[in-house]
Amino acid sequence: MHYIIDYNICALLITIITMLFFWVNPKLKDRQDQFYEVIGCFVLIESALNIVTVFTDGHVPEQVMIIIHMAYLFFVHTLPILMFAYTSELVGKHYHHFLRLLIGIPYAAGMLMLFTTTYTHWIFYVVDGTYYHGTGFTFLYIEASFYVILVFFIVGGASQFISRYKKCTILFFIGLQIVAICIQYIYPQYLVVDLAGALSLMSMYIALHSAGSITDSLTQAYNASALNSLIRTYYSRQKNFYLLGYKICGLNRISEVYGDAYRNGLLCYVADALKEELGGKVARIAEDEFGVLIEAKITEKEIKKHINQIPCLWGSDDYEVIYDAAKALLRSSDFLTPTEIIGMINFAFHKVKKMGKEELIVIDKQLKAQYFRWNQVHEAIVDALAKNGITVYFQPIVSMETGEIFAAEALCRLTDPVLGSISPAEFIPVAEQSGLISQIDNRVRNIVWDFLRSYDIRKAGIDHISVNLSVAECSQPFIVHTIEDEAELANVERGTLHFEITETVAITSPAILAEQMRQMQLEGFCFHLDDYGTGYSGVTNLISLTFRVVNLDKYILELAEHTEKGKIIKSMISSFHECQIKVVCEGIETPTQEEMMRLWGVDYLQGYLYSKPLPCDKFVQFAKIQRRTQHTHASIIA
Ligand code: C2E
Ligand code: CA
Ligand code: CA
């Protein structure tokens, strides 16, 4: 037969180019990459061997001809089962050993027929230097088609687990293979199966393995999903490693001050420096965050030394940018799953930020325990929200002038069946970090609205109940309408509910906050600036935002008590008064503190000296008793 080898030469060239790209560009070297590499090599060898068969047939001894044909047929007919295994890996489908054996039977039968063909002549035979197909040759086509069809079913069965892009690529490959097998079966002189294989290989590379899908376009480091895959691969191979998290602090600020070009330059510099110093696999996992996977061949001490050698300084002729970096290092052997690892690095960054120090923290047993506790608390919040497990306590706020209860702060409480009572100081930050805070605030507000509807606070001499409004809740675009609707539904006087906003919120987004507050104030709501003295104490916010009340944090009390700086706070309070802003001091625990506040001119007091936060019924009782005592006291004086 006269074979047309032009298609084969094309196939060989396409495969060489594709594989060169694959070898030169960055790759993950995970199981998918390994399968791909093996398939690429098989296509390369079989295309070459196919050409060799055409040129050597009739020109070499018969034994050599047989070996070349056998080798070619081995490579070409191993490809379909490899493609099947590769696709299973792509869609994440793993088979039981027995099923794998069953699936391998047609391949094993084909190979048995091939390697015994010198005796049986089933697949092919050579007579007088001429190659002939045997009676069983068709079986090899059927076997190849079997695996191609199997791939089709795998993709169909797992279609909801894979992206459309992946699915289309695999379907393209199946279609191409089926068409090529049919053509070559009908017209054996057209050797198009290799070309189909080469085109499939190329399309797979472009769609699934090209560097673009695993690297960050700016820094050319790996991207977050690539790092995830790398971690999973290391886990599956039971290889120990270190993961270093490196976060550039204040990247947005750098962008604002020096421009985007500097920001981009800095990111590239950090990626290169990490690669150069640590040599591991560097990935950009978030806007300002890098993750470096380092094989556990070097010690923790060496890693620390290398990190310290990266100067937090980068610049061109115009400017030098000095930046801070938060760094967290963990050892894979301390963790059970890859998901835990990524979660832990983010947790560590949060911790570093909170601690306010930009040095390397090594994730040890203690931090790991904190992380697990964080997860438990998170679950407890989710559970409590689902099962109405959030309750509200009320802490009285007393008037300095009359000594009577003037208002109260609603503080939420969480009791978990397993963990017991969890302090808000612990669960509020978890809720803030995980985006559950809005739901908590919402629940607390609803409880307070119900309370206001069932209990006339004004009759009890209480001016208002204040609730805390979190950072996340404040930034919600619909918050104004939501709260208006709630008030409408509750049908109570709007001034009976006040909102406490922490100073940090006011700092983060003053423009949005100012607008939300303006709209809500028009609707009759009132705002307090909470925790004054713990944040940045920005005067701008006090001027630009209309707060009716300022809550001095208990921290200020401690500070003023133990230093000579009390005078500053005293003059601050008189400035507030000049602006018609009332002042509450929180955390009053002793009569001495109360006396000091009287001297400073504080208007209202809140603290354990008067009462701890109380459950609803106890609070109502407290208010009644206090009022009765005051009245009795007043009538005795009269
Ligand atoms: P905060 O808004 O500053 O609330 C005052 C905190 O001081 C309360 O802690 C209160 O129990 C505590 N406290 C009051 N008097 C004294 C005292 O004399 N001594 C001491 N040592 N502490 C006193 P709590 O209830 O543990 O709440 C802690 C923080 O959690 C609150 O601080 C607030 O920021 C947050 N939080 C509580 N409930 C909510 C809520 O429903 N939503 C939001 N977003 N945050 C809440
Ligand atoms: Ca508060
Ligand atoms: Ca406070």
Side-chain angles (χ1 to χ4, degrees), residues 392 395 409-413 423-425 427-429 432 437 440-441 444-445 467-471 500 502 530-531 551 553-554 586-589 593 606-609 611-613:
V392 171
Q395 186 176 31
E409 178 174 7
L411 294 156
C412 77
R413 293 292 176 260
S423 150
F427 77 79
I428 293 289
E432 278 175 345
I437 191 70
I440 293 187
D441 282 357
V444 170
R445 271 203 316 277
V467 292
N468 293 284
L469 203 61
S470 70
V471 182
E500 293 192 3
T502 56
D530 200 4
D531 300 341
N551 290 10
D553 192 78
K554 46 185 177 286
E586 295 175 352
I588 308 282
E589 290 181 358
Q593 288 173 336
Q606 178 181 358
Y608 295 167
L609 181 64
S611 167
K612 286 202 164 183

Side-chain angles (χ1 to χ4, degrees), residues 135-241:
T135 45
F137 196 84
T138 314
F139 177 79
L140 291 187
Y141 278 99
I142 298 171
E143 181 228 311
S145 311
F146 167 74
Y147 291 110
V148 172
I149 291 166
L150 220 54
V151 169
F152 180 78
F153 280 111
I154 298 177
V155 179
S159 60
Q160 68 272 40
F161 303 116
I162 54 173
S163 67
R164 256 173 78 101
Y165 192 49
K166 242 185 193 181
K167 204 163 74 179
C168 289
T169 312
I170 299 170
L171 289 177
F172 168 73
F173 138 72
I174 301 170
L176 210 63
Q177 295 295 318
I178 291 177
V179 171
I181 290 173
C182 292
I183 294 177
Q184 197 161 327
Y185 186 70
I186 303 165
Y187 308 104
Q189 70 274 30
Y190 294 113
L191 304 172
V192 288
V193 169
D194 292 353
L195 185 60
L199 289 173
S200 301
L201 196 75
M202 190 179 69
S203 59
M204 293 271 188
Y205 176 73
I206 294 168
L208 310 173
H209 293 264
S210 65
S213 62
I214 57 164
T215 53
D216 164 50
S217 58
L218 175 68
T219 59
Q220 294 308 311
Y222 287 112
N223 59 23
S225 79
L227 185 71
N228 254 316
S229 306
L230 283 168
I231 291 174
R232 273 170 221 287
T233 310
Y234 273 57
Y235 259 96
S236 66
R237 290 182 195 160
Q238 295 179 336
K239 250 175 145 179
N240 278 338
F241 60 89

